[in-house]
PDB file of all heavy atoms in Angstrom:
ATOM      1  N   GLU A 223     -20.344  -2.582 -13.076  1.00 89.00           N
ATOM      2  CA  GLU A 223     -20.052  -1.431 -12.206  1.00 89.00           C
ATOM      3  C   GLU A 223     -21.320  -0.684 -11.783  1.00 89.00           C
ATOM      4  O   GLU A 223     -21.251   0.123 -10.848  1.00 89.00           O
ATOM      5  CB  GLU A 223     -19.075  -0.486 -12.906  1.00 89.00           C
ATOM      6  CG  GLU A 223     -17.695  -1.090 -13.108  1.00 89.00           C
ATOM      7  CD  GLU A 223     -16.655  -0.081 -13.555  1.00 89.00           C
ATOM      8  OE1 GLU A 223     -16.611   1.020 -12.974  1.00 89.00           O
ATOM      9  OE2 GLU A 223     -15.901  -0.389 -14.484  1.00 89.00           O
ATOM     10  N   ASN A 224     -22.433  -0.940 -12.430  1.00 90.00           N
ATOM     11  CA  ASN A 224     -23.698  -0.344 -11.981  1.00 90.00           C
ATOM     12  C   ASN A 224     -24.280  -1.098 -10.802  1.00 90.00           C
ATOM     13  O   ASN A 224     -25.186  -0.589 -10.129  1.00 90.00           O
ATOM     14  CB  ASN A 224     -24.699  -0.321 -13.135  1.00 90.00           C
ATOM     15  CG  ASN A 224     -24.293   0.622 -14.252  1.00 90.00           C
ATOM     16  OD1 ASN A 224     -23.777   1.709 -13.979  1.00 90.00           O
ATOM     17  ND2 ASN A 224     -24.514   0.222 -15.497  1.00 90.00           N
ATOM     18  N   HIS A 225     -23.782  -2.323 -10.568  1.00 91.00           N
ATOM     19  CA  HIS A 225     -24.304  -3.143  -9.486  1.00 91.00           C
ATOM     20  C   HIS A 225     -23.437  -3.063  -8.230  1.00 91.00           C
ATOM     21  O   HIS A 225     -23.952  -3.181  -7.113  1.00 91.00           O
ATOM     22  CB  HIS A 225     -24.423  -4.596  -9.936  1.00 91.00           C
ATOM     23  CG  HIS A 225     -25.501  -4.810 -10.953  1.00 91.00           C
ATOM     24  ND1 HIS A 225     -25.940  -6.077 -11.349  1.00 91.00           N
ATOM     25  CD2 HIS A 225     -26.269  -3.941 -11.659  1.00 91.00           C
ATOM     26  CE1 HIS A 225     -26.896  -5.963 -12.244  1.00 91.00           C
ATOM     27  NE2 HIS A 225     -27.117  -4.664 -12.460  1.00 91.00           N
ATOM     28  N   CYS A 226     -22.124  -2.950  -8.390  1.00 93.00           N
ATOM     29  CA  CYS A 226     -21.220  -2.893  -7.235  1.00 93.00           C
ATOM     30  C   CYS A 226     -19.874  -2.320  -7.683  1.00 93.00           C
ATOM     31  O   CYS A 226     -19.658  -2.076  -8.872  1.00 93.00           O
ATOM     32  CB  CYS A 226     -21.034  -4.282  -6.615  1.00 93.00           C
ATOM     33  SG  CYS A 226     -20.241  -5.490  -7.697  1.00 93.00           S
ATOM     34  N   ASP A 227     -18.970  -2.142  -6.718  1.00 94.00           N
ATOM     35  CA  ASP A 227     -17.658  -1.517  -6.986  1.00 94.00           C
ATOM     36  C   ASP A 227     -16.533  -2.534  -7.072  1.00 94.00           C
ATOM     37  O   ASP A 227     -15.355  -2.145  -7.002  1.00 94.00           O
ATOM     38  CB  ASP A 227     -17.321  -0.508  -5.883  1.00 94.00           C
ATOM     39  CG  ASP A 227     -18.309   0.641  -5.813  1.00 94.00           C
ATOM     40  OD1 ASP A 227     -18.915   0.972  -6.851  1.00 94.00           O
ATOM     41  OD2 ASP A 227     -18.476   1.201  -4.710  1.00 94.00           O
ATOM     42  N   THR A 228     -16.836  -3.810  -7.218  1.00 95.00           N
ATOM     43  CA  THR A 228     -15.793  -4.831  -7.215  1.00 95.00           C
ATOM     44  C   THR A 228     -14.781  -4.617  -8.343  1.00 95.00           C
ATOM     45  O   THR A 228     -13.558  -4.722  -8.137  1.00 95.00           O
ATOM     46  CB  THR A 228     -16.404  -6.236  -7.319  1.00 95.00           C
ATOM     47  OG1 THR A 228     -17.317  -6.429  -6.208  1.00 95.00           O
ATOM     48  CG2 THR A 228     -15.337  -7.325  -7.278  1.00 95.00           C
ATOM     49  N   ILE A 229     -15.269  -4.297  -9.530  1.00 95.00           N
ATOM     50  CA  ILE A 229     -14.359  -4.077 -10.665  1.00 95.00           C
ATOM     51  C   ILE A 229     -13.526  -2.818 -10.444  1.00 95.00           C
ATOM     52  O   ILE A 229     -12.333  -2.783 -10.784  1.00 95.00           O
ATOM     53  CB  ILE A 229     -15.160  -3.970 -11.970  1.00 95.00           C
ATOM     54  CG1 ILE A 229     -15.751  -5.327 -12.331  1.00 95.00           C
ATOM     55  CG2 ILE A 229     -14.281  -3.467 -13.112  1.00 95.00           C
ATOM     56  CD1 ILE A 229     -14.708  -6.404 -12.573  1.00 95.00           C
ATOM     57  N   LYS A 230     -14.116  -1.795  -9.856  1.00 95.00           N
ATOM     58  CA  LYS A 230     -13.347  -0.573  -9.553  1.00 95.00           C
ATOM     59  C   LYS A 230     -12.210  -0.909  -8.603  1.00 95.00           C
ATOM     60  O   LYS A 230     -11.083  -0.437  -8.782  1.00 95.00           O
ATOM     61  CB  LYS A 230     -14.267   0.481  -8.917  1.00 95.00           C
ATOM     62  CG  LYS A 230     -15.320   1.067  -9.850  1.00 95.00           C
ATOM     63  CD  LYS A 230     -16.073   2.186  -9.132  1.00 95.00           C
ATOM     64  CE  LYS A 230     -17.179   2.770 -10.002  1.00 95.00           C
ATOM     65  NZ  LYS A 230     -18.322   1.854 -10.164  1.00 95.00           N
ATOM     66  N   LEU A 231     -12.491  -1.697  -7.582  1.00 96.00           N
ATOM     67  CA  LEU A 231     -11.462  -2.068  -6.611  1.00 96.00           C
ATOM     68  C   LEU A 231     -10.364  -2.874  -7.287  1.00 96.00           C
ATOM     69  O   LEU A 231      -9.165  -2.613  -7.058  1.00 96.00           O
ATOM     70  CB  LEU A 231     -12.084  -2.871  -5.472  1.00 96.00           C
ATOM     71  CG  LEU A 231     -11.111  -3.441  -4.430  1.00 96.00           C
ATOM     72  CD1 LEU A 231     -10.299  -2.325  -3.778  1.00 96.00           C
ATOM     73  CD2 LEU A 231     -11.869  -4.242  -3.385  1.00 96.00           C
ATOM     74  N   ARG A 232     -10.740  -3.825  -8.129  1.00 95.00           N
ATOM     75  CA  ARG A 232      -9.739  -4.641  -8.849  1.00 95.00           C
ATOM     76  C   ARG A 232      -8.847  -3.757  -9.710  1.00 95.00           C
ATOM     77  O   ARG A 232      -7.620  -3.882  -9.690  1.00 95.00           O
ATOM     78  CB  ARG A 232     -10.404  -5.688  -9.713  1.00 95.00           C
ATOM     79  CG  ARG A 232      -9.402  -6.521 -10.547  1.00 95.00           C
ATOM     80  CD  ARG A 232     -10.103  -7.197 -11.698  1.00 95.00           C
ATOM     81  NE  ARG A 232     -10.960  -8.264 -11.246  1.00 95.00           N
ATOM     82  CZ  ARG A 232     -11.879  -8.871 -12.021  1.00 95.00           C
ATOM     83  NH1 ARG A 232     -12.061  -8.466 -13.265  1.00 95.00           N
ATOM     84  NH2 ARG A 232     -12.635  -9.842 -11.538  1.00 95.00           N
ATOM     85  N   ARG A 233      -9.470  -2.852 -10.466  1.00 94.00           N
ATOM     86  CA  ARG A 233      -8.716  -1.982 -11.368  1.00 94.00           C
ATOM     87  C   ARG A 233      -7.744  -1.090 -10.597  1.00 94.00           C
ATOM     88  O   ARG A 233      -6.587  -0.930 -10.976  1.00 94.00           O
ATOM     89  CB  ARG A 233      -9.700  -1.130 -12.185  1.00 94.00           C
ATOM     90  CG  ARG A 233      -9.005  -0.199 -13.178  1.00 94.00           C
ATOM     91  CD  ARG A 233     -10.011   0.410 -14.127  1.00 94.00           C
ATOM     92  NE  ARG A 233     -11.057   1.147 -13.452  1.00 94.00           N
ATOM     93  CZ  ARG A 233     -12.347   0.856 -13.502  1.00 94.00           C
ATOM     94  NH1 ARG A 233     -12.767  -0.174 -14.237  1.00 94.00           N
ATOM     95  NH2 ARG A 233     -13.240   1.581 -12.867  1.00 94.00           N
ATOM     96  N   MET A 234      -8.204  -0.561  -9.476  1.00 94.00           N
ATOM     97  CA  MET A 234      -7.363   0.357  -8.724  1.00 94.00           C
ATOM     98  C   MET A 234      -6.229  -0.377  -8.012  1.00 94.00           C
ATOM     99  O   MET A 234      -5.129   0.153  -7.877  1.00 94.00           O
ATOM    100  CB  MET A 234      -8.212   1.146  -7.724  1.00 94.00           C
ATOM    101  CG  MET A 234      -9.303   1.983  -8.358  1.00 94.00           C
ATOM    102  SD  MET A 234      -8.763   2.894  -9.831  1.00 94.00           S
ATOM    103  CE  MET A 234      -7.633   4.054  -9.117  1.00 94.00           C
ATOM    104  N   LEU A 235      -6.467  -1.592  -7.543  1.00 94.00           N
ATOM    105  CA  LEU A 235      -5.389  -2.371  -6.924  1.00 94.00           C
ATOM    106  C   LEU A 235      -4.306  -2.683  -7.959  1.00 94.00           C
ATOM    107  O   LEU A 235      -3.116  -2.549  -7.668  1.00 94.00           O
ATOM    108  CB  LEU A 235      -5.939  -3.670  -6.341  1.00 94.00           C
ATOM    109  CG  LEU A 235      -6.715  -3.581  -5.020  1.00 94.00           C
ATOM    110  CD1 LEU A 235      -7.233  -4.963  -4.633  1.00 94.00           C
ATOM    111  CD2 LEU A 235      -5.861  -2.996  -3.915  1.00 94.00           C
ATOM    112  N   CYS A 236      -4.723  -3.082  -9.137  1.00 93.00           N
ATOM    113  CA  CYS A 236      -3.757  -3.477 -10.170  1.00 93.00           C
ATOM    114  C   CYS A 236      -2.967  -2.284 -10.695  1.00 93.00           C
ATOM    115  O   CYS A 236      -1.751  -2.395 -10.941  1.00 93.00           O
ATOM    116  CB  CYS A 236      -4.462  -4.186 -11.328  1.00 93.00           C
ATOM    117  SG  CYS A 236      -5.085  -5.829 -10.896  1.00 93.00           S
ATOM    118  N   THR A 237      -3.597  -1.143 -10.868  1.00 91.00           N
ATOM    119  CA  THR A 237      -2.904   0.021 -11.427  1.00 91.00           C
ATOM    120  C   THR A 237      -2.101   0.798 -10.389  1.00 91.00           C
ATOM    121  O   THR A 237      -1.296   1.653 -10.752  1.00 91.00           O
ATOM    122  CB  THR A 237      -3.897   0.979 -12.118  1.00 91.00           C
ATOM    123  OG1 THR A 237      -4.903   1.378 -11.172  1.00 91.00           O
ATOM    124  CG2 THR A 237      -4.564   0.329 -13.321  1.00 91.00           C
ATOM    125  N   ASN A 238      -2.315   0.497  -9.105  1.00 94.00           N
ATOM    126  CA  ASN A 238      -1.613   1.235  -8.059  1.00 94.00           C
ATOM    127  C   ASN A 238      -0.804   0.316  -7.134  1.00 94.00           C
ATOM    128  O   ASN A 238      -0.440   0.713  -6.020  1.00 94.00           O
ATOM    129  CB  ASN A 238      -2.614   2.041  -7.213  1.00 94.00           C
ATOM    130  CG  ASN A 238      -3.248   3.165  -8.010  1.00 94.00           C
ATOM    131  OD1 ASN A 238      -2.652   4.234  -8.207  1.00 94.00           O
ATOM    132  ND2 ASN A 238      -4.471   2.933  -8.463  1.00 94.00           N
ATOM    133  N   MET A 239      -0.494  -0.894  -7.603  1.00 94.00           N
ATOM    134  CA  MET A 239       0.265  -1.839  -6.782  1.00 94.00           C
ATOM    135  C   MET A 239       1.609  -1.262  -6.347  1.00 94.00           C
ATOM    136  O   MET A 239       2.006  -1.390  -5.181  1.00 94.00           O
ATOM    137  CB  MET A 239       0.486  -3.161  -7.541  1.00 94.00           C
ATOM    138  CG  MET A 239      -0.623  -4.157  -7.369  1.00 94.00           C
ATOM    139  SD  MET A 239      -0.165  -5.773  -8.062  1.00 94.00           S
ATOM    140  CE  MET A 239      -1.702  -6.686  -7.780  1.00 94.00           C
ATOM    141  N   GLU A 240       2.321  -0.631  -7.270  1.00 94.00           N
ATOM    142  CA  GLU A 240       3.644  -0.104  -6.941  1.00 94.00           C
ATOM    143  C   GLU A 240       3.552   1.041  -5.925  1.00 94.00           C
ATOM    144  O   GLU A 240       4.401   1.167  -5.049  1.00 94.00           O
ATOM    145  CB  GLU A 240       4.372   0.354  -8.197  1.00 94.00           C
ATOM    146  CG  GLU A 240       5.099  -0.747  -8.912  1.00 94.00           C
ATOM    147  CD  GLU A 240       6.057  -1.527  -8.004  1.00 94.00           C
ATOM    148  OE1 GLU A 240       6.881  -0.897  -7.315  1.00 94.00           O
ATOM    149  OE2 GLU A 240       5.964  -2.757  -7.975  1.00 94.00           O
ATOM    150  N   ASP A 241       2.507   1.857  -6.042  1.00 95.00           N
ATOM    151  CA  ASP A 241       2.353   2.941  -5.072  1.00 95.00           C
ATOM    152  C   ASP A 241       2.055   2.368  -3.693  1.00 95.00           C
ATOM    153  O   ASP A 241       2.570   2.854  -2.677  1.00 95.00           O
ATOM    154  CB  ASP A 241       1.235   3.895  -5.504  1.00 95.00           C
ATOM    155  CG  ASP A 241       1.116   5.085  -4.573  1.00 95.00           C
ATOM    156  OD1 ASP A 241       2.005   5.957  -4.629  1.00 95.00           O
ATOM    157  OD2 ASP A 241       0.160   5.132  -3.769  1.00 95.00           O
ATOM    158  N   LEU A 242       1.219   1.324  -3.623  1.00 97.00           N
ATOM    159  CA  LEU A 242       0.913   0.671  -2.360  1.00 97.00           C
ATOM    160  C   LEU A 242       2.182   0.094  -1.734  1.00 97.00           C
ATOM    161  O   LEU A 242       2.386   0.206  -0.514  1.00 97.00           O
ATOM    162  CB  LEU A 242      -0.115  -0.426  -2.568  1.00 97.00           C
ATOM    163  CG  LEU A 242      -1.553   0.024  -2.859  1.00 97.00           C
ATOM    164  CD1 LEU A 242      -2.383  -1.107  -3.457  1.00 97.00           C
ATOM    165  CD2 LEU A 242      -2.210   0.552  -1.585  1.00 97.00           C
ATOM    166  N   LYS A 243       3.058  -0.454  -2.560  1.00 96.00           N
ATOM    167  CA  LYS A 243       4.303  -1.033  -2.065  1.00 96.00           C
ATOM    168  C   LYS A 243       5.271   0.073  -1.606  1.00 96.00           C
ATOM    169  O   LYS A 243       5.982  -0.100  -0.596  1.00 96.00           O
ATOM    170  CB  LYS A 243       4.937  -1.918  -3.126  1.00 96.00           C
ATOM    171  CG  LYS A 243       4.091  -3.141  -3.452  1.00 96.00           C
ATOM    172  CD  LYS A 243       4.612  -3.940  -4.629  1.00 96.00           C
ATOM    173  CE  LYS A 243       5.661  -4.924  -4.219  1.00 96.00           C
ATOM    174  NZ  LYS A 243       5.970  -5.904  -5.273  1.00 96.00           N
ATOM    175  N   GLU A 244       5.272   1.189  -2.313  1.00 96.00           N
ATOM    176  CA  GLU A 244       6.125   2.314  -1.890  1.00 96.00           C
ATOM    177  C   GLU A 244       5.665   2.856  -0.541  1.00 96.00           C
ATOM    178  O   GLU A 244       6.483   3.167   0.335  1.00 96.00           O
ATOM    179  CB  GLU A 244       6.080   3.425  -2.944  1.00 96.00           C
ATOM    180  CG  GLU A 244       6.934   3.161  -4.159  1.00 96.00           C
ATOM    181  CD  GLU A 244       6.909   4.308  -5.150  1.00 96.00           C
ATOM    182  OE1 GLU A 244       6.525   5.428  -4.747  1.00 96.00           O
ATOM    183  OE2 GLU A 244       7.267   4.102  -6.319  1.00 96.00           O
ATOM    184  N   LYS A 245       4.353   2.982  -0.373  1.00 97.00           N
ATOM    185  CA  LYS A 245       3.820   3.455   0.908  1.00 97.00           C
ATOM    186  C   LYS A 245       4.156   2.472   2.017  1.00 97.00           C
ATOM    187  O   LYS A 245       4.457   2.873   3.147  1.00 97.00           O
ATOM    188  CB  LYS A 245       2.310   3.637   0.812  1.00 97.00           C
ATOM    189  CG  LYS A 245       1.819   4.716  -0.156  1.00 97.00           C
ATOM    190  CD  LYS A 245       2.017   6.103   0.408  1.00 97.00           C
ATOM    191  CE  LYS A 245       1.196   7.144  -0.356  1.00 97.00           C
ATOM    192  NZ  LYS A 245       1.437   7.148  -1.802  1.00 97.00           N
ATOM    193  N   THR A 246       4.134   1.181   1.714  1.00 98.00           N
ATOM    194  CA  THR A 246       4.488   0.165   2.697  1.00 98.00           C
ATOM    195  C   THR A 246       5.938   0.311   3.119  1.00 98.00           C
ATOM    196  O   THR A 246       6.270   0.161   4.297  1.00 98.00           O
ATOM    197  CB  THR A 246       4.233  -1.250   2.132  1.00 98.00           C
ATOM    198  OG1 THR A 246       2.853  -1.393   1.800  1.00 98.00           O
ATOM    199  CG2 THR A 246       4.615  -2.328   3.131  1.00 98.00           C
ATOM    200  N   ARG A 247       6.805   0.596   2.159  1.00 97.00           N
ATOM    201  CA  ARG A 247       8.217   0.815   2.494  1.00 97.00           C
ATOM    202  C   ARG A 247       8.388   2.009   3.441  1.00 97.00           C
ATOM    203  O   ARG A 247       9.244   1.997   4.328  1.00 97.00           O
ATOM    204  CB  ARG A 247       9.054   1.000   1.219  1.00 97.00           C
ATOM    205  CG  ARG A 247       9.281  -0.295   0.456  1.00 97.00           C
ATOM    206  CD  ARG A 247      10.313  -0.138  -0.659  1.00 97.00           C
ATOM    207  NE  ARG A 247       9.752   0.530  -1.814  1.00 97.00           N
ATOM    208  CZ  ARG A 247       9.162  -0.100  -2.828  1.00 97.00           C
ATOM    209  NH1 ARG A 247       9.062  -1.413  -2.802  1.00 97.00           N
ATOM    210  NH2 ARG A 247       8.699   0.572  -3.864  1.00 97.00           N
ATOM    211  N   ALA A 248       7.546   3.024   3.255  1.00 97.00           N
ATOM    212  CA  ALA A 248       7.602   4.188   4.142  1.00 97.00           C
ATOM    213  C   ALA A 248       7.172   3.807   5.550  1.00 97.00           C
ATOM    214  O   ALA A 248       7.780   4.243   6.548  1.00 97.00           O
ATOM    215  CB  ALA A 248       6.729   5.314   3.597  1.00 97.00           C
ATOM    216  N   TYR A 249       6.107   2.987   5.667  1.00 97.00           N
ATOM    217  CA  TYR A 249       5.674   2.519   6.981  1.00 97.00           C
ATOM    218  C   TYR A 249       6.768   1.666   7.631  1.00 97.00           C
ATOM    219  O   TYR A 249       7.025   1.753   8.830  1.00 97.00           O
ATOM    220  CB  TYR A 249       4.397   1.684   6.846  1.00 97.00           C
ATOM    221  CG  TYR A 249       3.164   2.483   6.517  1.00 97.00           C
ATOM    222  CD1 TYR A 249       2.313   2.107   5.482  1.00 97.00           C
ATOM    223  CD2 TYR A 249       2.818   3.620   7.251  1.00 97.00           C
ATOM    224  CE1 TYR A 249       1.182   2.837   5.173  1.00 97.00           C
ATOM    225  CE2 TYR A 249       1.680   4.356   6.954  1.00 97.00           C
ATOM    226  CZ  TYR A 249       0.861   3.956   5.911  1.00 97.00           C
ATOM    227  OH  TYR A 249      -0.259   4.686   5.614  1.00 97.00           O
ATOM    228  N   TYR A 250       7.427   0.851   6.814  1.00 97.00           N
ATOM    229  CA  TYR A 250       8.517   0.018   7.338  1.00 97.00           C
ATOM    230  C   TYR A 250       9.665   0.873   7.830  1.00 97.00           C
ATOM    231  O   TYR A 250      10.247   0.590   8.888  1.00 97.00           O
ATOM    232  CB  TYR A 250       9.007  -0.952   6.258  1.00 97.00           C
ATOM    233  CG  TYR A 250      10.304  -1.616   6.647  1.00 97.00           C
ATOM    234  CD1 TYR A 250      10.355  -2.592   7.641  1.00 97.00           C
ATOM    235  CD2 TYR A 250      11.516  -1.237   6.034  1.00 97.00           C
ATOM    236  CE1 TYR A 250      11.556  -3.174   8.014  1.00 97.00           C
ATOM    237  CE2 TYR A 250      12.709  -1.823   6.406  1.00 97.00           C
ATOM    238  CZ  TYR A 250      12.733  -2.793   7.391  1.00 97.00           C
ATOM    239  OH  TYR A 250      13.916  -3.365   7.778  1.00 97.00           O
ATOM    240  N   GLU A 251      10.007   1.926   7.103  1.00 96.00           N
ATOM    241  CA  GLU A 251      11.107   2.793   7.503  1.00 96.00           C
ATOM    242  C   GLU A 251      10.823   3.416   8.874  1.00 96.00           C
ATOM    243  O   GLU A 251      11.722   3.572   9.695  1.00 96.00           O
ATOM    244  CB  GLU A 251      11.342   3.894   6.469  1.00 96.00           C
ATOM    245  CG  GLU A 251      12.024   3.396   5.205  1.00 96.00           C
ATOM    246  CD  GLU A 251      13.390   2.801   5.461  1.00 96.00           C
ATOM    247  OE1 GLU A 251      14.129   3.350   6.320  1.00 96.00           O
ATOM    248  OE2 GLU A 251      13.729   1.786   4.821  1.00 96.00           O
ATOM    249  N   SER A 252       9.567   3.768   9.114  1.00 96.00           N
ATOM    250  CA  SER A 252       9.190   4.328  10.411  1.00 96.00           C
ATOM    251  C   SER A 252       9.369   3.274  11.511  1.00 96.00           C
ATOM    252  O   SER A 252       9.895   3.581  12.586  1.00 96.00           O
ATOM    253  CB  SER A 252       7.736   4.798  10.367  1.00 96.00           C
ATOM    254  OG  SER A 252       7.321   5.272  11.629  1.00 96.00           O
ATOM    255  N   TYR A 253       8.933   2.057  11.233  1.00 96.00           N
ATOM    256  CA  TYR A 253       9.104   0.957  12.205  1.00 96.00           C
ATOM    257  C   TYR A 253      10.588   0.698  12.448  1.00 96.00           C
ATOM    258  O   TYR A 253      11.022   0.546  13.594  1.00 96.00           O
ATOM    259  CB  TYR A 253       8.420  -0.308  11.669  1.00 96.00           C
ATOM    260  CG  TYR A 253       8.636  -1.533  12.533  1.00 96.00           C
ATOM    261  CD1 TYR A 253       7.775  -1.808  13.607  1.00 96.00           C
ATOM    262  CD2 TYR A 253       9.703  -2.411  12.316  1.00 96.00           C
ATOM    263  CE1 TYR A 253       7.965  -2.918  14.405  1.00 96.00           C
ATOM    264  CE2 TYR A 253       9.914  -3.513  13.108  1.00 96.00           C
ATOM    265  CZ  TYR A 253       9.037  -3.768  14.166  1.00 96.00           C
ATOM    266  OH  TYR A 253       9.236  -4.857  14.965  1.00 96.00           O
ATOM    267  N   ARG A 254      11.362   0.653  11.371  1.00 95.00           N
ATOM    268  CA  ARG A 254      12.799   0.372  11.460  1.00 95.00           C
ATOM    269  C   ARG A 254      13.514   1.422  12.295  1.00 95.00           C
ATOM    270  O   ARG A 254      14.369   1.094  13.141  1.00 95.00           O
ATOM    271  CB  ARG A 254      13.390   0.322  10.046  1.00 95.00           C
ATOM    272  CG  ARG A 254      14.895   0.097   9.960  1.00 95.00           C
ATOM    273  CD  ARG A 254      15.345   0.094   8.518  1.00 95.00           C
ATOM    274  NE  ARG A 254      16.794  -0.064   8.409  1.00 95.00           N
ATOM    275  CZ  ARG A 254      17.659   0.910   8.480  1.00 95.00           C
ATOM    276  NH1 ARG A 254      17.223   2.169   8.665  1.00 95.00           N
ATOM    277  NH2 ARG A 254      18.958   0.689   8.351  1.00 95.00           N
ATOM    278  N   ARG A 255      13.179   2.676  12.060  1.00 94.00           N
ATOM    279  CA  ARG A 255      13.827   3.756  12.796  1.00 94.00           C
ATOM    280  C   ARG A 255      13.553   3.612  14.300  1.00 94.00           C
ATOM    281  O   ARG A 255      14.470   3.724  15.123  1.00 94.00           O
ATOM    282  CB  ARG A 255      13.309   5.111  12.302  1.00 94.00           C
ATOM    283  CG  ARG A 255      13.990   6.292  13.000  1.00 94.00           C
ATOM    284  CD  ARG A 255      13.483   7.619  12.486  1.00 94.00           C
ATOM    285  NE  ARG A 255      12.077   7.845  12.815  1.00 94.00           N
ATOM    286  CZ  ARG A 255      11.084   7.816  11.936  1.00 94.00           C
ATOM    287  NH1 ARG A 255      11.342   7.576  10.659  1.00 94.00           N
ATOM    288  NH2 ARG A 255       9.845   8.033  12.319  1.00 94.00           N
ATOM    289  N   CYS A 256      12.302   3.350  14.665  1.00 93.00           N
ATOM    290  CA  CYS A 256      11.949   3.203  16.075  1.00 93.00           C
ATOM    291  C   CYS A 256      12.658   2.016  16.713  1.00 93.00           C
ATOM    292  O   CYS A 256      13.156   2.110  17.844  1.00 93.00           O
ATOM    293  CB  CYS A 256      10.426   3.029  16.209  1.00 93.00           C
ATOM    294  SG  CYS A 256       9.478   4.508  15.802  1.00 93.00           S
ATOM    295  N   ARG A 257      12.741   0.904  15.984  1.00 93.00           N
ATOM    296  CA  ARG A 257      13.374  -0.303  16.526  1.00 93.00           C
ATOM    297  C   ARG A 257      14.873  -0.065  16.734  1.00 93.00           C
ATOM    298  O   ARG A 257      15.443  -0.427  17.764  1.00 93.00           O
ATOM    299  CB  ARG A 257      13.165  -1.483  15.594  1.00 93.00           C
ATOM    300  CG  ARG A 257      11.774  -2.046  15.648  1.00 93.00           C
ATOM    301  CD  ARG A 257      11.503  -2.849  16.921  1.00 93.00           C
ATOM    302  NE  ARG A 257      12.227  -4.111  16.929  1.00 93.00           N
ATOM    303  CZ  ARG A 257      13.114  -4.474  17.834  1.00 93.00           C
ATOM    304  NH1 ARG A 257      13.428  -3.658  18.829  1.00 93.00           N
ATOM    305  NH2 ARG A 257      13.703  -5.660  17.789  1.00 93.00           N
ATOM    306  N   LEU A 258      15.529   0.562  15.768  1.00 92.00           N
ATOM    307  CA  LEU A 258      16.967   0.793  15.869  1.00 92.00           C
ATOM    308  C   LEU A 258      17.288   1.815  16.955  1.00 92.00           C
ATOM    309  O   LEU A 258      18.301   1.702  17.666  1.00 92.00           O
ATOM    310  CB  LEU A 258      17.533   1.251  14.526  1.00 92.00           C
ATOM    311  CG  LEU A 258      17.530   0.205  13.411  1.00 92.00           C
ATOM    312  CD1 LEU A 258      18.140   0.766  12.134  1.00 92.00           C
ATOM    313  CD2 LEU A 258      18.276  -1.066  13.824  1.00 92.00           C
ATOM    314  N   GLU A 259      16.423   2.811  17.130  1.00 90.00           N
ATOM    315  CA  GLU A 259      16.650   3.781  18.197  1.00 90.00           C
ATOM    316  C   GLU A 259      16.509   3.115  19.567  1.00 90.00           C
ATOM    317  O   GLU A 259      17.248   3.457  20.501  1.00 90.00           O
ATOM    318  CB  GLU A 259      15.653   4.953  18.063  1.00 90.00           C
ATOM    319  CG  GLU A 259      15.980   5.886  16.904  1.00 90.00           C
ATOM    320  CD  GLU A 259      14.953   6.986  16.740  1.00 90.00           C
ATOM    321  OE1 GLU A 259      13.899   6.915  17.405  1.00 90.00           O
ATOM    322  OE2 GLU A 259      15.212   7.912  15.936  1.00 90.00           O
ATOM    323  N   LYS A 260      15.571   2.180  19.689  1.00 89.00           N
ATOM    324  CA  LYS A 260      15.425   1.440  20.949  1.00 89.00           C
ATOM    325  C   LYS A 260      16.659   0.582  21.242  1.00 89.00           C
ATOM    326  O   LYS A 260      16.999   0.329  22.388  1.00 89.00           O
ATOM    327  CB  LYS A 260      14.178   0.558  20.904  1.00 89.00           C
ATOM    328  CG  LYS A 260      12.882   1.327  21.036  1.00 89.00           C
ATOM    329  CD  LYS A 260      11.680   0.387  21.009  1.00 89.00           C
ATOM    330  CE  LYS A 260      10.378   1.165  21.153  1.00 89.00           C
ATOM    331  NZ  LYS A 260       9.191   0.262  21.099  1.00 89.00           N
TER     332      LYS A 260
END
C-alpha cells in the first residue's frame, strides 16, 4: 500500500459489493420508470 492503491481498491470493492449492487438497482429503477412512462 506504500507503492500503490491496488490493495485499497480490492478491499473496498469486496467490502462494499452489496452497496454497489443496491446503487445499481436504484439506477435501474430510474431507467425502468422512464421506459414505462414512454
Side-chain angles (χ1 to χ4, degrees):
E223 294 191 45
N224 293 321
H225 290 190
C226 64
D227 298 332
T228 301
I229 290 299
K230 292 186 182 72
L231 176 58
R232 177 199 290 167
R233 181 169 58 241
M234 300 316 293
L235 284 178
C236 290
T237 56
N238 293 281
M239 273 189 183
E240 276 306 309
D241 184 72
L242 287 163
K243 295 173 85 167
E244 282 182 19
K245 295 285 196 305
T246 299
R247 285 190 283 270
Y249 288 130
Y250 168 71
E251 286 300 321
S252 176
Y253 175 87
R254 177 181 178 275
R255 182 179 66 251
C256 292
R257 285 286 288 121
L258 292 180
E259 287 177 350
K260 286 181 180 179

